[in-house]
Amino acid sequence: MTRAIRLSSRLLRALALVAIPAWAALAGTGAQAQFALAVSPPRMELTGKPGERVRDVIELTHSDARQGEYTFKTADWTLKPDGSVDFSDELVPGSCRPWVAIERRELSIAAGKPYRYRFEVTPPPDTPPMECRFAVLIEGKERTTAPGTPVAMAARIGVIAYVAIGDVQPVLDIAGATVKTVNGQSLPVLRIRNTGTAHGRLAGFLNGTDASGARLEFQPATTPIMPGETRDIALTATKPGDTDATVAVRFPVTVTGSLEWGKSGSTKVNERFAQ
């Protein structure tokens, strides 16, 4: 394996935290480019101990008839308030990337047969309890010209990795509730605070009733909340028993129940949302 190293200071951008099977962001633009690579899983959540090596694999499937040429590197990242991600080649303070080794920096993949790309993380023996967070960036060597720009850019996918070293856990609670416009739709939003030592996500279903008297189920967005962060988490409404089709709600809306997070944590919800 090749030890991950510090690279240039150019700031990278990504479309989202999830890997995108056939499309990815053009580096440095908001445009889309066809990307013939499926990546699984889109994120890694691992556990480890100080001084012990943690290994895992990313499965890559190239779908183009032509052989795919890709480059790999690690990056630090930050999650912005809108849910988009900034990737950075620079080592940020407290970065755990020096502990990360990746299998190789360049790879040719033939169509049809998945490739298992290996990486490993080795925390030093004296590492205190912490959550190591980094990304493996996969970039196609083939360049694509985005609409409206003469500059040829490469498509890129970022796979996010979390490694819990020692006893670290999120601690989530509700810091407020409001109504916000998300993708053009008014949604109830919980303001979630994380006072723990690891990232957390809300999971589960809530019961709700809107102004029409309709009984609905509400599911929280799976956006991660980082330690020390307070983040707005939207609640999406569906009809009971039908979680595939979202529905518009009429405010005010009352939502009750409990949401789970971490290994055994839960937060009770009893909120009224009014525009």
Side-chain angles (χ1 to χ4, degrees):
M1 290 191 173
T2 303
R3 180 63 57 182
I5 59 174
R6 182 173 180 172
L7 304 173
S8 67
S9 61
R10 183 166 60 94
L11 188 65
L12 309 175
R13 294 294 304 274
L15 182 64
L17 273 180
V18 297
I20 303 170
W23 295 83
L26 284 173
T29 77
Q32 299 292 302
Q34 191 162 355
F35 201 40
L37 186 71
V39 178
S40 179
R43 67 174 183 262
M44 319 286 287
E45 299 195 5
L46 311 172
T47 59
K49 298 179 180 179
E52 295 185 6
R53 183 175 290 110
V54 180
R55 295 187 176 96
D56 214 322
V57 298
I58 303 168
E59 188 168 286
L60 310 172
T61 303
H62 178 71
S63 60
D64 197 302
R66 298 171 299 171
Q67 184 167 273
E69 304 292 336
Y70 299 97
T71 63
F72 299 78
K73 59 185 174 183
T74 64
D76 286 301
W77 58 273
T78 55
L79 183 64
K80 299 172 65 176
D82 64 1
S84 63
V85 182
D86 274 339
F87 292 107
S88 175
D89 286 339
E90 284 289 331
L91 288 175
V92 302
S95 174
C96 63
R97 283 165 55 204
W99 310 343
V100 181
I102 57 177
E103 176 180 337
R104 61 184 68 189
R105 296 194 177 278
E106 295 187 0
L107 180 63
S108 299
I109 307 177
K113 185 178 180 180
Y115 184 91
R116 292 169 63 82
Y117 184 87
R118 299 169 298 168
F119 71 91
E120 60 185 38
V121 184
T122 309
D126 59 350
T127 302
M130 63 170 291
E131 183 176 66
C132 168
R133 297 187 291 269
F134 63 93
V136 177
L137 295 185
I138 307 166
E139 182 175 310
K141 286 187 177 182
E142 183 176 349
R143 300 279 163 165
T144 301
T145 302
T149 174
V151 180
M153 308 295 286
R156 177 183 294 124
I157 285 177
V159 179
I160 301 298
Y162 304 86
V163 185
I165 301 167
D167 185 16
V168 293
Q169 288 289 329
V171 177
L172 305 185
D173 64 82
I174 299 174
T178 187
V179 176
K180 295 184 69 173
T181 300
V182 181
N183 296 326
Q185 183 180 4
S186 294
L187 295 178
V189 170
L190 294 175
R191 185 154 292 166
I192 303 298
R193 176 174 49 216
N194 185 354
T195 57
T197 52
H199 82 288
R201 289 181 176 83
L202 294 176
F205 292 90
L206 300 170
N207 298 316
T209 305
D210 72 0
S212 70
R215 294 191 176 278
L216 302 169
E217 287 185 342
F218 289 84
Q219 187 173 15
T222 58
T223 308
I225 304 102
M226 300 302 162
E229 177 182 70
T230 299
R231 180 169 292 275
D232 289 345
I233 302 296
L235 302 176
T236 302
T238 59
K239 294 181 180 179
D242 183 7
T243 59
D244 293 329
T246 61
V247 298
V249 298
R250 294 177 57 186
F251 292 92
V253 175
T254 301
V255 178
T256 61
S258 62
L259 294 172
E260 299 177 349
W261 44 263
K263 293 180 179 179
S264 58
S266 66
T267 297
K268 292 188 178 300
V269 180
N270 186 0
E271 299 288 346
R272 184 177 185 273
F273 300 86
Q275 287 182 304

